[in-house]
Amino acid sequence: MRIVASLICGLIFGAGLLISGMVQPSKVLGFLDIFGAWDPSLAVVMAAALAVSVPGFRLAGQRTGPLLAKHYLWPTRSAIDSQLVMGTAMFGIGWGLVGLCPGPALESLATLSPGVIVFVVAMAAGMALHDVWRMSGPTARSSAPLVAAADD
Amino acid sequence: MIAAGLLFLPLQNGWKSGMFNFTPLSAAIGGALIGASAVLLMLLTGRNAGISGIFGGLLNLRGEDKGWRIAFVAGLTLAPAVAGLIGYGMTTPILPSNWGVIAAAGLLVGFGARLGGGCTSGHGICGIGRLSQRSIVATMIFMATAVITVAITHHVLGE
């Protein structure tokens, strides 16, 4: 059931990206291009998403656990450290270069666009590079799973 | 009611003055759906709807629970086909012709999302949704660097 639920959530997420236009790099870049013909749509998308997610997460948090699994896996990291700053800065640059981020990129694979495939392959490579780099550093412990690949 | 609302989306006129392309109604509906899917994923499966984390976990061969990740990404990738069935198909995204730029963008997005612990959905929607200060800061930073990047590529480099 968890698999079906995840599939449905993916479909809804995808529908949201489609309907809001966020799957189109031109809409995203239109928001980021504050010195050009500015399109505030992305701000409305975020506001609407947060209008649902803020109360929604609070309500979910009042339950002891999810409906189809044993535990909530709420992200736990709270530090504002150099990794956060460096990582998010890099992410922003990549996002601003082309107007694609993971969700829209993966959804756009449906168009079989060669450019999208290049982006997704490069994104996967970037992710893998990071994970390999983290695993090989002096602080890495080879037996530790990679933080369940979780967002924080 | 939702169907009626969706019918109005193509008629929605934004505020078109030359290049101004604001589409508040579809933005709001789409945004609400994104927020709802994140809440549902947590409420039903206990998982965070940060796409970089979901996809990153698929790539990480030692990550756990690949089933739900594959299912979520499958849903994401199938959504355009389903939408196409009711007449809302997806157009091919407009991307730079230079694949080097695309590849560089992808590398930065992938590496940066993993290093920073999230992306627009992970930090911007789920993190801020939990009122996480870390995610609020993260979102401010990537918004800032993205805006600066666009300013440079669109207005300084004369693209």
Side-chain angles (χ1 to χ4, degrees):
Chain A
M1 267 312 289
R2 233 189 317 162
I3 306 280
V4 172
S6 299
L7 177 74
I8 293 173
C9 288
L11 281 167
I12 298 173
F13 197 105
L17 286 177
L18 266 171
I19 292 173
S20 64
M22 294 297 100
V23 76
Q24 297 294 342
S26 54
K27 283 290 274 185
V28 172
L29 293 172
F31 171 79
L32 296 171
D33 188 10
I34 61 174
F35 298 111
W38 187 54
D39 176 0
S41 298
L42 191 149
V44 174
V45 178
M46 273 200 67
L50 291 174
V52 174
S53 71
V54 170
F57 282 140
R58 181 177 289 177
L59 282 174
Q62 283 167 2
R63 294 181 49 89
T64 50
L67 288 164
L68 303 171
K70 284 209 198 100
H71 307 289
Y72 282 129
L73 282 171
W74 297 107
T76 54
R77 287 160 73 181
S78 58
I80 297 171
D81 53 19
S82 60
Q83 286 181 355
L84 180 80
V85 175
M86 291 291 309
T88 53
M90 285 175 65
F91 173 84
I93 295 172
W95 188 39
L97 275 176
V98 153
L100 279 177
C101 59
L106 289 171
E107 180 163 16
S108 296
L109 284 174
T111 65
L112 299 175
S113 148
V116 171
I117 295 171
V118 169
F119 183 92
V120 172
V121 169
M123 181 175 75
M127 290 179 165
L129 255 161
H130 166 270
D131 291 358
V132 166
W133 170 68
R134 281 282 286 276
M135 304 273 282
S136 64
T139 57
R141 291 169 295 158
S142 57
S143 60
L146 191 66
V147 198
D151 287 339
D152 57 276
Chain B
M1 203 174 86
I2 294 178
L6 287 174
L7 277 174
F8 275 108
L9 294 182
L11 301 175
Q12 176 187 222
N13 203 9
W15 290 344
K16 296 219 167 98
S17 64
M19 298 169 284
F20 198 40
N21 230 346
F22 189 30
T23 53
L25 182 59
S26 48
I29 293 174
L33 283 171
I34 293 171
S37 81
V39 172
L40 271 173
L41 190 68
M42 181 57 77
L43 185 64
L44 296 176
T45 72
R47 293 296 190 149
N48 194 48
I51 313 298
S52 63
I54 296 175
F55 185 62
L58 267 184
L59 300 174
N60 176 12
L61 293 176
R62 288 176 3 181
E64 84 277 11
D65 289 306
K66 288 189 182 262
W68 73 272
R69 296 172 193 273
I70 293 172
F72 187 94
V73 174
L76 196 56
T77 317
L78 286 170
V82 172
L85 292 175
I86 55 169
Y88 279 93
M90 188 181 155
T91 59
T92 306
I94 300 168
L95 295 172
S97 52
N98 184 339
W99 282 12
V101 172
I102 299 179
L107 278 169
L108 286 166
V109 163
F111 194 95
R114 298 293 284 153
L115 182 62
C119 58
T120 45
S121 58
H123 279 304
I125 293 176
C126 298
I128 301 182
R130 295 188 321 270
L131 305 177
S132 154
Q133 208 177 28
R134 174 176 157 101
S135 288
I136 291 169
V137 170
T139 303
M140 283 167 45
I141 293 175
F142 69 63
M143 284 291 178
T145 58
V147 163
I148 292 168
T149 302
V150 171
I152 292 174
T153 56
H154 280 47
H155 301 286
V156 172
L157 297 180
E159 266 192 8

